[in-house]
Amino acid sequence: MSIAYTVSDTGVMITRCLRRSLRDPEAFFTALMLPIVLMLLFVYIFGGALSTGGKYVQYVVPGLIVLCAGFGAGTTAVAVATDMTSGIVDRFRSMPVSGSSILVGHVAASLARNLLATALVIGVGLGIGWRPAASPLNWAAAAGMIVLFVLALSWLAAGVGLLARSAEAANSLSIVLMFLPYVSTAFVPARTMPAALRDFAEHQPFTPIIETMRGLWMGQTSTGVTVAHEAWLAIAYCVAILVVSFTAASWLFRYRTAA
């Protein structure tokens, strides 16, 4: 199959996945609105009791962006699992459709949904008092970090969807991706946690990603480590997750569609 046909098939699959998101408005708007509701909840209800060295909204926005990506990953995992169990993939295989375009369509749609949700979180954050002190270059670097992270998490979610044998199982497995940001520096500094949780929070993949965005936007991290150190660590984590997830998802797709 030529590259031109593969590109065309991929475009069709991306459009299909985006349209399917719009056909399920309850899930789509829940994924978009939940991070905003959580922001208002943390800032206006919990924020007054949480000590982060300044206004809480200045601290919490990067963590909510990562949490938003976790919710989006759950949606992607369920969508992939649904395709694999509903028989639609068998129909695609009976047509001259590139197999890789099916997964790429899900990942690209996930990236689009997450970037839209991220833009909403940033917009609401600015509306309630978040004031980043970032240069245009730092904004561009933060945007690149978000895209790389969401891309890696989307391929991981696709792998989870292929590993699960039902949409319900995919939803259950993806809960881990939604929970991990809570045990990081997303909402409170790691130094405020008990020793065992503090060690985990400081050394899990989400923390350097959050701290990189926090450092780029606010000029400093909550861990006391330089932004450059956190950025290199975050990039290494994202690239490793992306490579392993892409390889595993590709193999799982070939294995499950082998006939």
Side-chain angles (χ1 to χ4, degrees):
M1 186 173 291
S2 69
I3 295 177
Y5 278 114
T6 301
V7 171
S8 176
D9 291 344
T10 301
V12 171
M13 291 300 167
I14 292 172
T15 302
R16 168 185 173 263
C17 291
L18 290 173
R19 285 179 175 173
R20 192 165 76 173
S21 296
L22 295 176
R23 291 193 188 107
D24 188 5
E26 292 182 1
F28 182 65
F29 285 108
T30 298
L32 291 181
M33 298 307 296
L34 187 57
I36 294 173
V37 171
L38 287 174
M39 175 184 287
L40 298 176
L41 178 69
F42 274 94
V43 171
Y44 289 115
I45 297 179
F46 302 140
L50 299 173
S51 177
T52 58
K55 291 179 63 176
Y56 189 63
V57 69
Q58 299 287 75
Y59 181 91
V60 77
V61 171
L64 286 166
I65 289 172
V66 168
L67 185 65
C68 176
F71 285 120
T75 301
T76 302
V78 170
V80 172
T82 300
D83 271 2
M84 297 304 297
T85 56
S86 66
I88 189 66
V89 172
D90 292 330
R91 293 187 181 183
F92 289 147
R93 290 178 61 220
S94 68
M95 299 182 287
V97 175
S98 170
S100 62
S101 67
I102 300 172
L103 288 183
V104 173
H106 281 292
V107 170
S110 174
L111 182 61
R113 287 192 301 266
N114 275 286
L115 291 180
L116 176 58
T118 297
L120 287 175
V121 169
I122 289 174
V124 173
L126 291 170
I128 63 174
W130 181 54
R131 296 295 180 264
S135 66
L137 183 60
N138 282 0
W139 270 100
M145 182 77 261
I146 292 169
V147 170
L148 179 60
F149 169 63
V150 171
L151 189 62
L153 203 63
S154 296
W155 275 108
L156 179 59
V160 169
L162 288 164
L163 191 62
R165 293 295 175 175
S166 68
E168 292 77 14
N171 188 52
S172 298
L173 289 172
S174 62
I175 286 177
V176 176
L177 299 177
M178 304 177 196
F179 176 75
L180 277 177
Y182 288 101
V183 195
S184 70
T185 59
F187 301 107
V188 293
R191 64 178 179 273
T192 65
M193 302 178 186
L197 283 179
R198 180 170 63 245
D199 289 339
F200 178 79
E202 289 176 342
H203 298 98
Q204 63 128 310
F206 284 101
T207 290
I209 295 164
I210 292 166
E211 293 301 329
T212 297
M213 288 188 283
R214 184 172 287 135
L216 288 169
W217 279 324
M218 308 310 300
Q220 61 182 4
T221 65
S222 70
T223 57
V225 181
T226 64
V227 178
H229 178 274
E230 296 285 19
W232 283 114
L233 194 56
I235 292 169
Y237 271 126
C238 287
V239 170
I241 293 170
L242 177 59
V243 170
V244 172
S245 299
F246 174 80
T247 304
S250 299
W251 182 85
L252 283 167
F253 185 81
R254 290 194 299 270
Y255 175 77
R256 292 198 58 181
T257 56

